Each structure stands twice: as structure tokens, then as C-alpha cells.
Amino acid sequence: MGNREMEELIPLVNRLQDAFSSLGQSCLLELPQIAVVGGQSAGKSSVLENFVGRDFLPRGSGIVTRRPLVLQLVTSKAEYAEFLHCKGRKITDFDEVRHEIEAETDRVTGMNKGISSVPINLRVYSPHVLNLTLIDLPGITKVPVGDQPPDIEYQIRDMIMQFITRENCLILAVTPANTDLANSDALKLAKEVDPQGLRTIGVITKLDLMDEGTDARDILENKLLPLRRGYIGVVNRSQKDIDGKKDIKAATLAERKFFLSHPAYRHIADRMGTPHLQKVLNQQLTNHIRDTLPNFRNKLQGQLLSIEHEVEAYKNFRPEDPTRKTKALLQMVQQFAVDFEKRIEGSGDQVDTLELSGGAKINRIFHERFPFEIVKMEFNEKELRREISYAIKNIHGIRTGLFTPDMAFEAIVKKQIVKLKGPSLKSVDLVIQELINTVKKCTKKLANFPRLCEETERIVANHIREREGKTKDQVLLLIDIQVSYINTNHEDFIGFANAQQRSSQVHKKNTIGNQGTNLPPSRQIVIRKGWLTISNIGIMKGGSKGYWFVLTAESLSWYKDDEEKEKKYMLPLDNLKVRDVEKSFMSSKHIFALFNTEQRNVYKDYRFLELACDSQEDVDSWKASLLRAGVYPDKSLTENDENGQAENFSMDPQLERQVETIRNLVDSYMSIINKCIRDLIPKTIMHLMINNVKDFINSELLAQLYSSEDQNTLMEESAEQAQRRDEMLRMYQALKEALVVIGDINTSTTFTPAPPPVDDSWIQHSRRSPPPSPTTQRRPTLSAPLPRPTSGRGPAPAIPSPGPHSAAPPVPFRPGPLPPFPNSSDSFGAPPQVPSRPTRAPPSVPRRPPPAVPGRPS
């Protein structure tokens, strides 16, 4: 792949990272990055500072990096830093960068060593860096300090795993040379998520702090404890150098001098050090981007398509156009009117599948809720009979009446008609509330202009409130009209003769129940179907069970399922009533019950049939359907009613016949009134309220908006909307440019393949004890003198790896008394026991003498 094209990829990824992060969408695309993983004080931050060439990271003992730091290095002529949370602020003083990192860390995590997975985004522009994107992660720790929780080790591990489990993340595993490499936590974590080793690069720090006479040559040559992508050694500044303000450039020169002058590393010095690590990481990141290019392109295209619709509205935005605000205002008011009408009249566009709203909910108020409210205020039978008897007696006065007085009928009927005012006014309130909710939903599209949205809601809500008074006046007028004249010549009214004939029947029926519905078998019309749970019967059998219920005008049947093949039971509706049941604290269901007014069992041995629904709306809907079938709600009697029962019903036979006659007349006339009111109230609300509001929005809303406030004030964008528009346009352009650049890259060009697999089984887990690492520090035994090896060269029969220390592990140490030389040639088997410097000169001595070790015991 060409250098120019590949050099463009990393800055491009950085630009995309900026766009996504600024919109809070960094999770939508997993952009290629390099995660720096290691234990506390392993030198991770020092490596990053060496990359930048500046001191800018917090330092100290214990856990210092407490939030992930996403560090983007960009090659530039100028040198400065910029934080994503301080966008546009260029910082040239890198001490200020350190202070900002510390302050931003403390702002989220607190002052006492807490950690957070919310990243800090920092971009550094410099002519001394290569294009890289790295993530500095908190060091792996075992023991909590300060106010850290007891599970701090697992929290840090989970945070690290969030980053390194992504396939687009390279892992920079940092391990100090003066610790046991085989027990490296960084390499263990890398092995878990990258078992093939394709994404892991090892870094060995603190090579200058190893015990005298030891080195890490064979590790850096990837001969012992190998990784697929090998190791790179670096030398960071010591604490003394940092305290002495040693310049990083001088430290880089000292690092170069260290590798060139050290006899164990001079032959690989060109492959060691921070500059070479930068180049390797740059190349590996570039290659990694190239590997993931096809999938990356697909994600970019998907992201572009997902925002294209929103960006389309911003493309023609011209802030300098004087007519822009006028056009936008007109379009938005027109769109608001269209949306409002669609929600009221119904439309196939943007159908809400979660709940009823708008016109559908108003329809439910008209045809379910309003009739149900009428029934809820329905007269109580005993109370009504008592009132009728009092009215008859009061009209007769001191005399004993021979005939049934029609004045008693009118008095009772007028009192019952007046009771209809409550349900009628409540239905108006319910419709008004739904209209206001509909207006609020429609104004969501105006949210980009807060003043316009607020004014539109205010003006329309005020108009609705104005219409409320007129609509309620008209509703009350309709009921007063019914009270003003009792039309006993109505064609549906039974009259006195029929009422007396009905009252003389031996079998009296409770006419306020479903007995008033006398449908022939030919009218078995299905009123409602749906799932209900029989709760009280299910409890007896070990749990509630759902059935498919079918309600007709004559019966309530339930089936095993909605195929209606296996009928479980059919319950006649004669003498049934419905009442509420208190919701159990152990159940989320809403329950109502059916019972027989003649104290008979409803179903088998059960006096009540308790039915459960998922919501109160479903309960109300079933009650309204039962009402249509003639099953009315129960009105429980008060204690006073029970006490007065003897007085009310201790009537002579003649008065009882008169009461029954008036009772039948009232029932007949009220059924006429109820039918009329149930028809007229919805029509009145529709005409005076709903249609009027629609006409107002279409014809007068725009004029009132113009007169309420200045147009510029109304059309002033919110700061969030202006920022979002700019960011969306920038993101859109970045995505398009990314796709253009990726399209220009020839993915079939020459590419360096990944190294072949190596035996990395040495990376042990805690269940097995690891072999001793060559970098393990061991104290020399001072009692045994160390003779110098001979200068002769000879073959190393037992160890296949060539080199000056081929007869020993790669990093020598000063031994005490030594065991016999092993015959095994497997350098990854049992822990090696080969001495680094033999006490005598065997045939397998090194081919060149090692340097004299200063301070060696004599």
C-alpha cells in the first residue's frame, strides 16, 4: 500500500473519532486504536511522554492514571495540545496540560484515588510525533488504597477489557525488565483476548535498572518467552532524571547511547528504543487499519446512511438569507397543522404501536369511557324505590291516594337526568386533556426553536381553554333542555298501561341489570374477544391461567386458546354484575369480578369469577364491553341503607304496586334519555371543540404567532440545535471524505504479512506455576568466586539458540553453586538450570567472553 495513502488513514481515523465523540456516538464505530496495558509504575506514561517529547502526564506513587486517556498524536508544523472537552482551546504549555488532566480526573473520580471508565480525549499536534492513537489505561493493581472499593482490581480489569476485547484495538503490553515476565498481568490479559497474538506487541521497560550482570537479550531477540510480534526495549527517564528536569530529547539520546554501548544490545540497537517503537506502532496501526478496511468501509457507509436524512434538512441552511426564517416559520406551522389533523383523524404515517393517542383515544372516551361513567352514576335500586315511595306519599299528603301520581314520575326522572351532568362534563375534560397531549406531541418537531414551540403550545392551549367554557355550557344546556320537558308521548316510552302490566307480573326482574337486554337467539353478536386470566380459580390449582374470552349479548365464554376450538365454559349473563377487586401487592395484574345478584354460584362452586388484565385501561375497556352486554357495575349499600331497609319496604300492597309502576316508567324514560345523551354529547364536543381547534390551527395560528412576538425571536435556534447542526454537517463531511480516501486506496497492493505463530504457552494462568523468567532478579552467592570464562569459541550442543550466552538462559545472573547441566534441548520445558557463568570452562562456553562485571565478588 502506498505511503501517502496509508499516512492519510490515521489522521482520518482521528477526525472521525472527534466527530463521533463530540456527538456522543463514539460507540457506533470502533475506530482502530492502541491500548497501553501494564501494571502500576510499569512505565506506560513514560513511554507516551517519550512519544510526544514533552512532560505532560501526571506522576506520583501508586495509581496515577485513574481515567482512560485517549491520546491522538498528529504530525503538524505547530506544537500544541487540545482537549475534546475544551474544544478550540490550544494549549502550548504542557504543564497546563498536566494540570488539566489532573483536574478533569478529579472532577469525575474525586480526590482520593477513585477510578472511572469515562475517557479523557487529548490531541497533541507536533512535528516530532508520528500519527498514532493510543489509550493510556489505569495500571493493574491488587490492593485498594484511599477510597477505592475493595474490588478495585476487578474494576480496573473490566475497564481494560472494555478496550482490548475490540478487534480493532492493538495491545501494547508494557512490562518492566526487573520483574518476572512470565507473570506479567499485561501479557495474561492480552493472551485472553488475543490468543493468536496478532494484536499484541510487547514492550520491555527499565532495562537500565536490571541487576548488574543480567540482561534481556534473548527476550528482545524473541528467542525466549516469545510473542508473535516480538518485543521492543525502551529506556525511560529515572525518577532522579525527572526531578532534575532532564529533557526528553536528552533522555532519547541517552537511550540511544545505552543500546549502542551495551554489549548485549548493540547488535539490535536499531530495533530498540522509543523512536523505533513509534515507527513500529505507526506501521502496525496502519496495517491494522488496512486489514479492517472492508468492514470499516461498510460501517462508514451505514453510518452515513443513518444520518443522511437528518443532514438533508441542514444542507440548504443559509443563515444569511433574510427570507429563511419566514419560510421556515410557514413550513413549520403548516407541518404542525398536518400532524395535528393526522393524529386526530388517523393516518398510516408514523403509527404509534405502543399506546392509544389522539383520535383513537378520543373515540375510546366517546364510546367506552363516557357510557361507563353514565353507568357508574346509575341509580341504586333500593335507594330509588325509597325515593319513589317518599315522592308518592308527599304528593298524596294527608290523603290516601287511589291512583298513581304522574308528578312523582316527573320528580324522580328530572332528578335522574340532572345526574348526567357529571359524566358529561368529565368527558369534556378527558377530551381536552387528550387534545393538549396531542398538541405537545406535535410540537416536538418544533423543539429546535424553543420560543416557537413554547408560543405554539401556549396559543393553541389557550384556544382550547376558551372552547372548554363554550362546550361545557352547551353540554349543560342539552341536559337542561331534557329536564325542561318530559315527553311522555315518545314512541319508545312504555306508558302507564304497560308499566302497570309489567309490575303485575309475578316474576319480577331487576331492570337495572342485564335483564333489560332481551335479545333473541338470532342476535348472538360478538361484542368483544381477548385474553383474560382467571385468578381466583387458578390459585386453587396452583397458579393463574389465561384463557381466550368471547363476550356476546347473551353469554361470556372462554376457550383454551384463540382458535376457539376447545370451549372451557359458557357463562349466561342473567343476573350478573361486575365489581372491582383490590389489586394484590404480590401481583401486577388488575382484577375485576363477576357475581350473581341472587347469591348463586357463578362458576361451579365459586360465588365470584375474578378476571385479571395487564392494565387498568384493559379493565375499563372490558367493563365498557360488559356494559354493552347489559352487565352493570355493582353499587354496594351503605350501613344506613341497610338500617333503613325495613322502613322503606314496609309498604302496603297498593303503594308497592304504585312504586313498581313509577319504577318501570323511570327506567323506560331514562333509557330514552341515556340513548339521546350518549349520542349528542360526543357530537357536541366534536363540533364545538375538536373541529374548531383544527380550524383554528389551519387558519389563525400563523397570524397569532406573528402578532405575539417578533419573527426573529420566534425563529431563534437553540444553542444545542445550532451546535448539533454544525457537528452533524462536519461529521457528514468527514464520513464522505473518509469514504473517498478509502475508495482511492488500492487494497491489493503489497502488504507485509503477520509473523508466523510462536509457542506462547509460557504465558501461564494462575492455576499453574510459571517457569522462572530470565528477567527475575536473583542475588548472587558471594561465597563462591566467579572465574572468568575462557575466550575460546565452541558449539553449544544443548541449546539451539546461537549467541554469546547460548549455554544459558538469555538474561544471565550471578549464580551460587550450580546443579548438573541438563541434557534437554527444550528451552520452554522445565525451568532451565543452566548457569549463566559456569564455574569451569565446559565445551559449551560462550563463543565470545562477556564483559567484566564491575563489583563482582572476589
Side-chain angles (χ1 to χ4, degrees):
M1 184 174 295
N3 290 333
R4 185 190 66 81
E5 292 89 345
M6 292 313 302
E7 287 173 359
E8 291 179 357
L9 273 182
I10 297 177
L12 180 63
V13 169
N14 289 340
R15 290 180 58 189
L16 289 173
Q17 180 70 48
D18 263 5
F20 300 144
S21 298
S22 62
L23 291 174
Q25 299 179 6
S26 57
C27 60
L28 296 182
L29 286 178
E30 293 180 356
L31 301 173
Q33 296 169 327
I34 301 172
V36 185
V37 183
Q40 282 189 23
S41 304
K44 304 186 306 299
S45 298
S46 297
V47 171
L48 296 180
E49 285 187 335
N50 290 344
F51 286 170
V52 177
R54 292 280 191 169
D55 290 322
F56 69 98
L57 292 175
R59 290 185 174 276
S61 59
I63 181 169
V64 177
T65 305
R66 294 184 285 130
R67 287 178 59 184
L69 175 67
V70 179
L71 177 62
Q72 297 175 346
L73 305 182
V74 182
T75 304
S76 171
K77 293 181 180 179
E79 187 175 31
Y80 62 92
E82 186 178 29
F83 286 95
L84 185 63
H85 62 272
C86 304
K87 205 160 209 179
R89 177 187 169 197
K90 297 181 178 180
I91 305 174
T92 56
D93 183 357
F94 282 81
D95 286 336
E96 189 177 346
V97 172
R98 181 190 301 111
H99 295 150
E100 181 63 30
I101 293 175
E102 292 173 345
E104 183 66 13
T105 299
D106 292 340
R107 185 181 66 81
V108 174
T109 63
M111 303 289 290
N112 199 14
K113 303 299 184 184
I115 68 168
S116 169
S117 59
V118 180
I120 300 173
N121 291 271
L122 171 64
R123 173 168 292 181
V124 175
Y125 297 84
S126 173
H128 311 299
V129 300
L130 296 178
N131 293 318
L132 285 175
T133 300
L134 305 109
I135 307 171
D136 186 19
L137 295 168
I140 303 167
T141 184
K142 303 290 184 183
V143 181
V145 296
D147 61 356
Q148 292 176 349
D151 62 341
I152 184 68
E153 176 186 356
Y154 302 103
Q155 287 190 24
I156 294 178
R157 175 189 167 87
D158 291 343
M159 184 192 305
I160 293 173
M161 295 296 277
Q162 287 179 15
F163 289 92
I164 66 175
T165 51
R166 302 171 185 171
E167 288 299 320
N168 280 1
C169 182
L170 294 175
I171 305 169
L172 197 65
V174 180
T175 305
N178 55 1
T179 61
D180 189 352
L181 185 64
N183 283 331
S184 169
D185 290 322
L187 291 174
K188 286 182 182 179
L189 290 177
K191 181 68 180 295
E192 286 184 30
V193 299
D194 181 31
Q196 301 299 321
L198 291 172
R199 298 189 286 122
T200 305
I201 301 171
V203 175
I204 305 298
T205 61
K206 303 186 180 182
L207 291 167
D208 56 328
L209 300 181
M210 297 180 68
D211 279 355
E212 295 181 359
T214 62
D215 59 54
R217 173 175 174 170
D218 276 16
I219 289 181
L220 295 177
E221 289 180 347
N222 209 33
K223 293 177 181 177
L224 193 64
L225 310 182
L227 289 177
R228 189 164 185 173
R229 294 196 179 275
Y231 299 88
I232 297 175
V234 296
V235 176
N236 299 324
R237 292 177 300 168
S238 65
Q239 190 61 44
K240 180 180 178 181
D241 294 335
I242 295 170
D243 295 340
K245 304 295 183 182
K246 185 175 182 179
D247 184 65
I248 290 182
K249 293 181 180 178
T252 304
L253 293 175
E255 178 188 48
R256 177 68 175 165
K257 182 178 179 182
F258 172 83
F259 285 114
L260 288 173
S261 61
H262 198 290
Y265 308 134
R266 62 168 60 127
H267 67 293
I268 54 174
D270 57 334
R271 289 183 281 129
M272 295 292 114
T274 302
H276 178 70
L277 178 59
Q278 283 193 75
K279 293 177 183 177
V280 169
L281 292 180
N282 177 266
Q283 184 61 41
Q284 295 294 347
L285 182 59
T286 302
N287 290 345
H288 194 62
I289 294 174
R290 187 262 183 198
D291 282 343
T292 58
L293 206 56
N295 188 39
F296 190 54
R297 182 192 291 109
N298 293 337
K299 287 185 177 181
L300 289 175
Q301 289 172 339
Q303 184 71 5
L304 186 66
L305 289 174
S306 68
I307 68 171
E308 203 159 35
H309 179 72
E310 185 175 355
V311 171
E312 193 66 32
Y314 301 144
K315 282 184 179 178
N316 300 322
F317 181 76
R318 301 287 184 272
E320 68 281 355
D321 184 2
T323 63
R324 176 185 62 84
K325 293 185 177 180
T326 303
K327 292 178 182 176
L329 177 59
L330 181 60
Q331 289 173 354
M332 289 187 175
V333 172
Q334 289 175 343
Q335 186 62 46
F336 173 77
V338 170
D339 291 344
F340 183 82
E341 186 156 359
K342 282 183 177 180
R343 285 186 176 272
I344 297 298
E345 299 295 336
S347 170
D349 300 341
Q350 301 176 352
V351 177
D352 188 350
T353 59
L354 301 178
E355 62 177 356
L356 290 179
S357 61
K361 197 161 187 178
I362 292 174
N363 177 275
R364 188 171 185 174
I365 293 170
F366 285 162
H367 301 296
E368 292 186 6
R369 187 67 183 271
F370 178 49
F372 185 68
E373 291 295 330
I374 291 178
V375 174
K376 281 173 64 177
M377 51 73 57
E378 196 71 69
F379 35 75
N380 178 268
E381 179 68 17
K382 292 183 175 62
E383 177 73 23
L384 179 62
R385 289 178 179 274
R386 185 172 65 246
E387 290 180 2
I388 294 174
S389 67
Y390 285 158
I392 293 174
K393 289 179 179 180
N394 288 330
I395 290 173
H396 286 158
I398 198 171
R399 301 180 304 278
T400 301
L402 300 176
F403 304 101
T404 304
D406 57 352
M407 292 178 62
F409 161 72
E410 286 199 12
I412 296 298
V413 163
K414 287 181 179 179
K415 186 176 180 180
Q416 297 302 321
I417 293 175
V418 170
K419 290 181 179 180
L420 295 174
K421 290 184 178 181
S424 301
L425 294 177
K426 185 172 184 179
S427 66
V428 176
D429 292 333
L430 292 173
V431 171
I432 288 173
Q433 186 59 47
E434 186 55 33
L435 285 177
I436 291 177
N437 291 341
T438 302
V439 169
K440 290 181 178 180
K441 290 178 180 179
C442 293
T443 54
K444 285 182 179 179
K445 292 185 177 181
L446 310 180
N448 297 338
F449 303 93
R451 287 299 302 160
L452 176 62
C453 180
E454 182 181 333
E455 278 300 298
T456 302
E457 281 189 18
R458 183 187 65 81
I459 292 172
V460 177
N462 285 345
H463 182 75
I464 291 174
R465 293 301 179 189
E466 288 176 8
R467 301 306 302 175
E468 175 186 6
K470 296 181 180 179
T471 304
K472 287 185 175 180
D473 290 343
Q474 185 64 29
V475 166
L476 295 176
L477 179 61
L478 286 175
I479 295 175
D480 290 339
I481 289 172
Q482 298 292 344
V483 173
S484 65
Y485 179 67
I486 306 302
N487 182 17
T488 55
N489 288 327
H490 194 283
E491 58 186 5
D492 294 331
F493 185 58
I494 62 173
F496 270 88
N498 292 331
Q500 288 175 343
Q501 182 180 359
R502 183 180 298 182
S503 65
S504 65
Q505 295 175 356
V506 178
H507 180 65
K508 296 182 179 180
K509 294 185 178 180
N510 189 351
T511 55
I512 67 166
N514 59 339
Q515 288 71 20
T517 306
N518 233 350
L519 296 178
S522 60
R523 293 189 58 193
Q524 294 295 323
I525 301 173
V526 174
I527 297 175
R528 185 184 180 92
K529 294 182 178 183
W531 290 98
L532 287 173
T533 301
I534 303 180
S535 58
N536 59 328
I537 297 176
I539 291 173
M540 305 297 181
K541 296 182 179 181
S544 302
K545 191 172 183 181
Y547 293 98
W548 180 258
F549 279 74
V550 177
L551 174 66
T552 68
E554 295 292 329
S555 64
L556 178 66
S557 305
W558 56 92
Y559 299 80
K560 180 180 178 181
D561 52 41
D562 54 4
E563 294 182 1
E564 300 182 15
K565 292 181 179 179
E566 184 180 341
K567 181 183 284 190
K568 294 293 184 181
Y569 195 78
M570 185 180 75
L571 177 66
L573 300 182
D574 294 336
N575 300 316
L576 290 187
K577 279 193 175 184
V578 62
R579 75 176 188 185
D580 292 322
V581 177
E582 286 191 9
K583 181 180 176 182
S584 170
F585 72 94
M586 297 181 61
S587 172
S588 61
K589 298 279 188 179
H590 298 260
I591 304 174
F592 64 98
L594 296 175
F595 68 97
N596 193 294
T597 57
E598 297 182 353
Q599 303 300 316
R600 296 177 181 174
N601 292 339
V602 176
Y603 172 66
K604 296 184 179 179
D605 297 331
Y606 299 100
R607 286 291 181 92
F608 296 93
L609 181 66
E610 294 186 0
L611 303 175
C613 302
D614 291 331
S615 67
Q616 187 60 43
E617 281 193 8
D618 291 338
V619 171
D620 294 340
S621 183
W622 270 101
K623 285 182 179 178
S625 300
L626 288 166
L627 172 64
R628 290 177 58 192
V631 180
Y632 283 69
D634 175 47
K635 283 274 191 176
S636 58
L637 298 175
T638 63
E639 185 177 354
N640 293 333
D641 292 334
E642 295 293 336
N643 294 337
Q645 183 176 359
E647 177 188 352
N648 293 338
F649 288 89
S650 59
M651 297 183 288
D652 60 78
Q654 181 180 354
L655 179 60
E656 189 171 350
R657 284 194 300 271
Q658 291 177 350
V659 168
E660 185 65 26
T661 300
I662 298 293
R663 171 69 186 82
N664 292 334
L665 290 172
V666 170
D667 184 53
S668 174
Y669 196 81
M670 285 307 299
S671 66
I672 297 172
I673 297 298
N674 286 343
K675 186 184 295 184
C676 181
I677 291 298
R678 286 170 61 176
D679 180 61
L680 285 177
I681 295 300
K683 291 178 178 178
T684 303
I685 296 174
M686 192 72 191
H687 175 69
L688 295 178
M689 176 72 69
I690 299 173
N691 289 343
N692 185 276
V693 171
K694 287 195 298 183
D695 293 341
F696 172 81
I697 291 174
N698 284 318
S699 60
E700 298 183 36
L701 176 59
L702 184 61
Q704 292 210 19
L705 282 171
Y706 273 121
S707 62
S708 65
E709 280 197 39
D710 178 61
Q711 176 183 325
N712 292 329
T713 304
L714 284 175
M715 298 306 295
E716 185 174 340
E717 280 185 313
S718 63
E720 295 81 4
Q721 170 60 17
Q723 181 182 358
R724 178 172 178 79
R725 183 185 64 250
D726 294 341
E727 290 173 346
M728 288 297 289
L729 289 173
R730 186 173 66 252
M731 181 177 176
Y732 182 75
Q733 292 301 326
L735 286 168
K736 286 184 66 177
E737 183 181 343
L739 289 171
V740 169
V741 173
I742 291 175
D744 291 341
I745 295 174
N746 182 10
T747 57
S748 63
T749 52
T750 305
F751 171 70
T752 305
V758 296
D759 180 10
D760 59 359
S761 59
W762 59 272
I763 304 179
Q764 303 289 343
H765 295 284
S766 58
R767 63 177 181 270
R768 295 189 299 171
S769 59
S773 167
T775 57
T776 306
Q777 301 180 51
R778 299 191 182 185
R779 293 292 178 188
T781 302
L782 299 180
S783 60
L786 295 176
R788 294 179 181 273
T790 62
S791 59
R793 297 176 180 267
I799 303 298
S801 301
H805 300 277
S806 58
V811 183
F813 43 79
R814 288 172 287 184
L818 301 172
F821 186 79
N823 295 324
S824 172
S825 61
D826 183 7
S827 61
F828 303 104
Q833 302 295 330
V834 185
S836 63
R837 293 184 182 179
T839 56
R840 56 188 176 81
S844 57
V845 292
R847 285 176 289 185
R848 68 171 182 266
V853 180
R856 183 176 58 198
S858 59

